[in-house]
């Protein structure tokens, strides 16, 4: 049995007390395989702003302009937001690590490392949002987001010339891993001690992930 292609329309009815004839607005380019529900209803997706304009004849609300903060003196290289959305972590080529409150944009903490190393690179935040690990060349920093202070640093051994390409924190926040030439170094972000070393790669390590 051949069925003709259905025609779908939306009707805009004014609610200001007048009773003019409804204006019929065709919906074009509707997919042919659109399915009807058991009650004969048709699902059509559109944005909230479009729905307001179509059905109410009103303008979409004006958007609040984004807030801009002069955060660093050089290019911002890493950004991360804690899972609760309340703190922003930033790092820059100006060698500074900063914590910011959201959405206010208030500076909570700042540190600087005055050295010839390149700027801050790599950023990992624990799932609970309490710790952040960042790299600067061959040195790694652990920052307490909750306490707003630098907890400590870990440097790759002398002779390591390549900056770290990968830096991750385990889901439980108890282990940090970073590459060092062809090796992987593991250490606790809150306890002092020598890192564990994993070896076996014959090429540069590009990425890591805890499973």
């Amino acid at each position: 049995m051949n069925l003709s292609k259905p025609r779908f329309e939306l009707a805009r009815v004014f609610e200001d007390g007048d009773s003019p004839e409804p204006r019929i607005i065709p919906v074009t380019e509707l997919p042919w395989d659109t399915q009807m529900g058991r009650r004969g209803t048709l699902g059509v997706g559109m944005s909230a702003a479009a729905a307001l304009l179509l059905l109410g004849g009103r303008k979409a609300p004006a958007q609040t302009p984004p807030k801009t903060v002069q955060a660093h003196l050089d290019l911002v290289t890493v950004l991360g937001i804690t899972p609760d959305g309340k703190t922003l972590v930033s790092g820059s080529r100006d060698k500074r690590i900063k914590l910011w409150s959201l959405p206010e944009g208030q500076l909570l903490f700042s540190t600087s490392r005055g050295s010839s190393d390149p700027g801050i690179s790599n950023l990992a935040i624990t799932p609970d949002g309490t710790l952040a690990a960042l790299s600067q060349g061959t040195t790694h920093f652990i920052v307490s987001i909750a306490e707003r202070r630098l907890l400590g640093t870990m440097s790759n051994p002398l002779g390591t010339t390549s900056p770290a390409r990968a830096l991750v924190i385990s889901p439980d926040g108890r282990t940090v891993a970073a590459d060092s030439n062809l090796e992987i170094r593991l250490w606790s972000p809150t306890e002092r001690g020598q890192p564990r070393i994993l070896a076996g790669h014959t090429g540069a390590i590009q990425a890591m992930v805890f499973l």
Side-chain angles (χ1 to χ4, degrees):
M1 179 176 64
N2 295 328
L3 297 177
S4 60
K5 184 175 180 180
R7 179 187 178 196
F8 300 104
E9 296 177 330
L10 294 178
R12 181 173 71 173
V13 180
F14 296 97
E15 297 180 350
D16 57 1
D18 296 334
S19 56
E21 289 294 324
R23 179 185 176 191
I24 306 301
I25 304 175
V27 178
T28 61
E29 299 181 1
L30 198 64
W32 168 245
D33 60 350
T34 301
Q35 297 181 355
M36 303 288 287
R38 287 188 176 183
R39 298 178 181 271
T41 59
L42 170 67
V44 179
M46 66 175 62
S47 68
L52 287 174
L53 290 173
L54 178 64
L55 300 178
R58 298 186 295 274
K59 294 183 178 180
Q63 295 184 351
T64 303
K67 184 173 184 177
T68 302
V69 176
Q70 184 64 41
H72 289 275
L73 301 177
D74 206 330
L75 180 69
V76 176
T77 51
V78 292
L79 287 173
I81 297 177
T82 54
D84 63 5
K86 294 182 178 180
T87 306
L88 172 71
V89 184
S90 66
S92 167
R93 280 200 315 211
D94 65 6
K95 305 178 179 63
R96 292 179 181 270
I97 299 169
K98 296 186 178 184
L99 303 180
W100 308 84
S101 67
L102 294 178
E104 300 84 5
Q106 178 183 356
L107 180 63
L108 303 175
F109 170 78
S110 176
T111 187
S112 178
R113 176 176 167 83
S115 72
S116 59
D117 290 340
I120 304 298
S121 63
N122 301 319
L123 168 63
I125 299 175
T126 54
D128 62 3
T130 59
L131 296 176
L134 303 96
S135 301
Q136 182 186 6
T138 59
T139 301
H140 313 289
F141 301 88
I142 304 299
V143 176
S144 172
I145 298 175
E147 300 175 6
R148 304 176 187 176
R149 67 186 182 94
L150 180 66
L151 290 182
T153 62
M154 174 65 70
S155 297
N156 287 348
L158 295 176
T160 302
T161 56
S162 299
R165 295 182 176 87
L167 177 72
V168 291
I169 301 181
S170 61
D172 61 7
R174 299 174 61 182
T175 305
V176 180
D179 70 289
S180 173
N181 287 350
L182 305 181
E183 299 175 340
I184 297 174
R185 294 181 169 264
L186 306 170
W187 73 96
S188 168
T190 58
E191 298 177 3
R192 294 183 179 276
Q194 293 299 316
R196 289 178 293 160
I197 299 176
L198 304 179
H201 285 286
T202 58
I205 299 170
Q206 302 292 336
M208 294 182 292
V209 63
F210 279 101
L211 299 177

